[in-house]
Amino acid sequence: MEFMNPGAFKANAREALTDENLRSAMGQLAAGFVPLRQAAVDRLPEFDLLRERARELKDHILANLDFYLERFERNCTAAGGQVHWCATAEDARQAVLAICRTVDAKTATKGKSMIAEEIGLNPFLENHGIEPVETDLGEYIIQLADEPPSHIIGPAVHKTKDQVSDLFLHHHRKHGRTERQTEPAKMVAEAREILRQRYLDADVGITGANYLIAETGSSVIVTNEGNGDLTQTLPKIHIVVTSLEKVVPTLEDMTTFLRLLARSATGQEFSAYTTISTGPRRPDDPDGPGEFHVVILDNGRSAMLGGEVQDMLRCIRCGACMNHCPVYHSVGGHSYGAVYVGPMGAVLTPSLLGIAETRHLPCASMLCGRCEEVCPMQIPLPRLLRHWRERAFEGDGVPAAERWGLSIWAWFARRPWLYGQGARLAVRLLRYLGRERGRLGKLWGAGGWTDGRDLPAPEGRTFQELWRQRRGKGGAA
Amino acid sequence: MARRGDPGREAIFAAIRQSLGRPAHSAEARRELDDHIGKHRANLIPQRGKGDGKELVDRFRAMAEAAACTVRTVAAEAEVPGAVADYLRENNLSTRITLAPDSWLSGLDWASQPMLETRGGPARNEDEVAVTPAFAAVAETGTLVALSGPDHPTTLNFMPASHVVALRASQVVGAYEEVWQQLRKATKKGRGFAMPRAVNMITGPSRTADIALTIQLGAHGPRDLHIVLIDDQAGQE
Ligand code: SF4
């Protein structure tokens, strides 16, 4: 598996399709999150109306992004925080390093942050003598495994329990643990004890932000573990690494997004901890960090405004699109060779990095439309995927390897048990076919899509089982 | 630091405006947008965030329990220390408790429970049980809201393995938006308001599903969250 190379999608996916551990982990993912989300949505009759409102609100924010960012900066500064504007990933890494150096930091605890992943913060800090310690259990597991996240909210969702047992046994030896734990409760307790000391020892705590509130100059994190709160409360310095589009005007506006986030992500009514942080510890505060820094990253986002892919900036990183994506289920997150995976990643990665290196990603889709149906922000993911496909195939002819894009789709098309899930999928597929046939014909020659066969047929058994199981549980269609 | 003239900052704002195909907002447009912030209107409050007294308290309780909290109702605040002692005893938890240094909470008659050993202040790593008040509670999702400050150290919400919250039923509101209104009032300063350093919305104990998607409580924060709900709304229905 080539982790951070979107060009390796094809080889990665081929490898992933024969990985039984991955198959079993992905099976659990679909069997878990899909029905849980549906149940949460069913319990809130206003869910679809909220999606409408959230979309309108986010479009308003994006159209006035400069204004709200200025207001955020003004109010954050007034509360004693410091804002650092970073056009590129390198700028952001340097900004974080400079802050760490002011306290001669040796270790930095980290809450889960996709922006930190995007800028490659961990290897950078390591190279500069600062040990990053991931505290979200999923991030901690993949840090031990030396792998990137495979899901935006469940970074270690590809790991089976046995694999985690082995990792803990191997890495916890140096903390005096020699027993291989196999019960999740004991494994969690062991990690909790080891990480607790790391929070207390850390010089700097780094978190992401789900939102920045213009009205108050606050950053907001949403977690279930409480790790982000310990990360940002105990050390001397709290650094928030985040990006431009996270700003919202008011507490009320944040609330609208919060009503969608947990329900879409995990099917919870609300995540366990939503924390609004404003500035450093006050003179009479008994705890909290002495400094509060907000590092705001652009890294290609400003260029997405006003154009065809602006809609992608509405994303609230809930992960619903990947939880419902048959391609993601079958190839897993690592195949994408990028920080952002699944349908949202297949759109966002080319938007941020350019289509040249990433042209395989928008093809890793069968355009079945499930992602758009479940996206709480009503992002037209299939349209955006098609947009990038078209860009990928523009210009000087199509390299033969590009057939891949079609063949993965054809692979699904040849598997009726997958489409047996609902006529809706097939209807969409046919509609897509009808609409796109001219284009496809031009690109690959007539009938090209039916004989693209460069995918080894994997053992379909487990995959079928998964879908049958899902149905048996009365899961979402 | 907000550095005007910071070249990185200027480049980002220029890039945003170029992509949006317009210059910076006019004074009038800014006034309108400031108005959007100033009015801080609610967007859409679901039906379940509405209702009156008892109905909301019942909903809060049901939602909190669904989020793995335990809730016990007592008739008066004088019963809180006894209810805390009962909870700790019934669950075999430590009887050494760290109380938030909140005047109302520490003013309760803790001496009435000789088995409890109390101290105040921010959490220490060895603390096993924290007892705190809350600023408000939201029926919509069974969410507690706590504000950081001298009377409520944030660490008490996260470090000890058990968290007990003493809540008055009259503090329960329907929707999050009502909490924001109360927060603005409670921290009013000049024409605006002063946010506490941390506003913690807490819905159930700490949890993780990062190992094989099985839910485990007590990932980094409390394993159990117990709410002692004081029924101070009698006659208000
Ligand atoms: S694209 Fe939509 S569904 Fe996917 S992560 Fe973003 S908000 Fe969630």
Side-chain angles (χ1 to χ4, degrees):
Chain A
M1 191 70 62
E2 271 192 68
F3 285 134
M4 281 295 132
N5 174 11
F9 182 81
K10 182 177 172 177
N12 283 347
R14 195 172 264 154
E15 193 184 322
L17 286 166
T18 57
D19 179 342
E20 281 303 320
N21 279 329
L22 180 70
R23 187 86 340 118
S24 127
M26 291 293 109
Q28 276 179 314
L29 173 87
F33 284 158
V34 169
L36 285 173
R37 172 198 166 275
Q38 189 61 50
V41 168
D42 292 344
R43 284 192 299 266
L44 192 70
E46 295 91 346
F47 190 81
D48 276 330
L49 265 177
L50 276 165
R51 291 171 76 198
E52 292 282 334
R53 291 294 176 85
R55 177 176 51 75
E56 287 164 16
L57 174 59
K58 191 79 190 194
D59 284 343
H60 164 83
I61 294 167
L62 293 173
N64 298 286
L65 194 62
D66 47 344
F67 174 85
Y68 288 119
L69 284 170
E70 276 182 350
R71 280 291 174 273
F72 170 79
E73 177 186 48
R74 193 171 84 181
N75 291 323
C76 178
T77 309
Q82 302 179 43
V83 179
H84 308 261
W85 299 98
C86 299
T88 64
E90 176 60 13
D91 293 350
R93 289 189 292 263
Q94 293 294 346
V96 172
L97 180 63
I99 300 164
C100 290
R101 291 229 157 119
T102 61
V103 287
D104 198 17
K106 300 283 180 294
T107 64
T109 40
K110 288 181 67 214
K112 203 178 105 47
S113 159
M114 290 309 295
I115 301 295
E117 297 287 348
E118 181 180 330
I119 65 175
L121 190 57
N122 284 2
F124 177 81
L125 289 178
E126 272 165 26
N127 288 339
H128 290 82
I130 299 166
E131 186 196 357
V133 180
E134 294 290 354
T135 62
D136 170 86
L137 197 57
E139 286 283 344
Y140 176 69
I141 290 167
I142 60 165
Q143 189 180 30
L144 296 182
D146 196 21
E147 290 175 14
S150 70
H151 189 286
I152 60 170
I153 64 155
V157 79
H158 60 288
K159 288 272 181 247
T160 61
K161 181 170 68 78
D162 275 351
Q163 291 174 313
V164 179
S165 292
D166 291 341
L167 275 171
F168 280 11
L169 179 66
H170 182 73
H171 291 274
H172 290 172
R173 276 226 171 85
K174 61 173 179 283
H175 302 286
R177 310 302 173 103
T178 50
E179 205 183 321
R180 185 177 184 274
Q181 303 293 351
T182 54
E183 276 174 45
K186 289 199 176 144
M187 295 157 78
V188 170
E190 186 172 294
R192 173 190 171 112
E193 276 175 44
I194 288 168
L195 283 167
R196 184 55 77 86
Q197 194 56 44
R198 309 302 313 259
Y199 292 116
L200 295 163
D201 295 341
D203 306 295
V204 172
I206 300 171
T207 70
N210 290 79
Y211 313 101
L212 301 173
I213 307 178
E215 174 189 22
T216 57
S218 318
S219 75
V220 183
I221 57 168
V222 179
T223 76
N224 271 314
E225 298 184 2
N227 65 305
D229 290 278
L230 290 170
T231 296
Q232 67 180 41
T233 309
L234 295 173
K236 295 189 265 293
I237 295 183
H238 176 200
I239 305 176
V240 179
V241 289
T242 184
S243 54
L244 297 179
E245 80 283 12
K246 301 283 187 339
V247 72
V248 301
T250 64
L251 287 160
E252 281 74 5
D253 293 332
M254 166 195 75
T255 305
T256 296
F257 297 128
L258 284 176
R259 285 196 176 102
L260 295 167
L261 179 61
R263 293 184 172 98
S264 301
T266 56
Q268 285 170 281
E269 295 288 334
F270 216 56
S271 301
Y273 301 112
T274 298
T275 298
I276 310 172
S277 307
T278 314
R281 150 190 212 158
R282 311 292 153 76
D284 54 355
D285 272 349
D287 51 19
E291 291 179 30
F292 178 70
H293 295 265
V294 183
V295 173
I296 303 183
L297 178 72
D298 180 344
N299 207 28
R301 289 167 175 79
S302 60
M304 291 167 67
L305 289 166
E308 286 186 75
V309 292
Q310 171 176 310
D311 288 345
M312 194 60 227
L313 291 174
R314 288 204 300 267
C315 176
I316 56 171
R317 306 288 190 265
C318 71
C321 54
M322 56 200 77
N323 292 345
H324 291 76
C325 177
V327 176
Y328 176 86
H329 288 168
S330 56
V331 301
H334 284 159
S335 291
Y336 293 78
V339 166
Y340 300 104
V341 301
M344 63 78 71
V347 174
L348 189 60
T349 307
S351 307
L352 298 178
L353 302 180
I355 189 65
E357 300 303 310
T358 61
R359 61 179 185 276
H360 296 292
L361 298 183
C363 299
S365 159
M366 48 192 254
L367 302 176
C368 69
R370 273 305 263 152
C371 49
E372 181 175 6
E373 277 168 34
V374 298
C375 176
M377 299 304 290
Q378 299 188 330
I379 298 172
L381 290 155
R383 178 170 71 68
L384 298 176
L385 285 163
R386 275 200 298 272
H387 163 83
W388 281 124
R389 277 188 188 192
E390 284 162 18
R391 292 297 94 78
F393 298 134
E394 257 167 16
D396 317 321
V398 184
E402 245 65 327
R403 285 166 187 277
W404 163 248
L406 208 50
S407 57
I408 187 165
W409 175 82
W411 181 76
F412 282 100
R414 284 197 307 271
R415 273 152 185 81
W417 40 265
L418 193 56
Y419 285 94
Q421 276 311 296
R424 202 175 36 191
L425 280 182
V427 167
R428 273 172 185 276
L429 198 68
L430 288 170
R431 216 193 296 141
Y432 166 66
L433 234 191
R435 202 187 310 142
E436 301 286 310
R437 187 152 232 170
R439 158 166 292 276
L440 295 177
K442 246 183 280 150
L443 288 172
W444 286 284
W449 69 275
T450 48
D451 53 40
R453 261 186 185 277
D454 45 343
L455 242 189
E459 302 289 318
R461 181 183 49 84
T462 330
F463 205 67
Q464 290 188 50
E465 273 171 10
L466 141 69
W467 287 90
R468 239 181 269 129
Q469 181 188 346
R470 211 181 79 167
R471 251 200 234 160
K473 283 192 179 158
Chain B
M1 216 105 31
R3 289 161 306 219
R4 307 269 156 177
D6 166 352
R9 178 186 190 281
E10 296 316 316
I12 289 174
F13 280 88
I16 292 173
R17 287 168 188 144
Q18 193 191 355
S19 287
L20 291 172
R22 57 156 179 76
H25 291 88
S26 65
E28 199 194 323
R30 301 173 89 80
R31 259 196 307 279
E32 255 170 51
L33 293 170
D34 271 327
D35 203 45
H36 174 88
I37 293 180
K39 286 211 176 85
H40 43 75
R41 241 189 304 261
N43 295 302
L44 187 155
I45 298 180
Q47 202 51 42
R48 71 150 85 145
K50 299 169 187 167
D52 55 12
K54 182 161 167 13
E55 187 186 353
L56 288 184
V57 174
D58 289 346
R59 193 170 304 145
F60 168 77
R61 183 181 180 132
M63 295 307 292
E65 285 172 346
C69 292
T70 50
V71 184
R72 171 168 167 195
T73 305
V74 296
E77 63 181 38
E79 292 174 30
V80 169
V84 171
D86 289 348
Y87 174 71
L88 300 178
R89 193 177 35 235
E90 283 158 18
N91 292 281
N92 272 325
L93 297 167
S94 168
T95 48
R96 280 194 204 141
I97 62 175
T98 308
L99 283 179
D102 167 270
S103 55
W104 169 73
L105 188 73
S106 27
L108 300 176
D109 186 10
W110 295 96
S112 69
Q113 300 301 316
M115 69 174 275
L116 294 180
E117 206 179 299
T118 63
R119 64 169 281 270
R124 300 171 308 190
N125 197 30
E126 59 271 26
D127 290 349
E128 291 177 53
V129 180
V131 181
T132 73
F135 174 71
V138 186
E140 199 178 336
T141 47
T143 300
L144 297 159
V145 182
L147 310 183
S148 70
D151 50 354
H152 193 147
T154 311
T155 42
L156 289 180
N157 305 331
F158 296 99
M159 287 182 78
S162 298
H163 186 190
V164 182
V165 176
L167 179 76
R168 295 183 296 276
S170 58
Q171 291 179 292
V172 176
V173 298
Y176 315 114
E177 282 86 345
E178 294 170 67
V179 180
W180 311 143
Q181 293 295 6
Q182 289 185 11
L183 180 61
R184 289 189 183 96
K185 239 186 252 163
T187 63
K188 195 166 159 42
K189 195 177 136 196
R191 287 172 56 214
F193 65 108
M195 284 288 279
R197 186 193 65 75
V199 176
N200 295 112
M201 305 175 79
I202 301 173
T203 312
S206 158
R207 66 196 62 206
T208 183
D210 279 337
I211 296 179
L213 287 168
T214 52
I215 304 243
Q216 301 296 328
L217 299 181
H220 291 277
R223 290 193 182 95
D224 54 284
L225 175 53
H226 183 62
I227 299 168
V228 179
L229 185 61
I230 305 155
D231 185 10
D232 62 348
Q233 282 192 313
Q236 285 188 19
E237 281 153 52

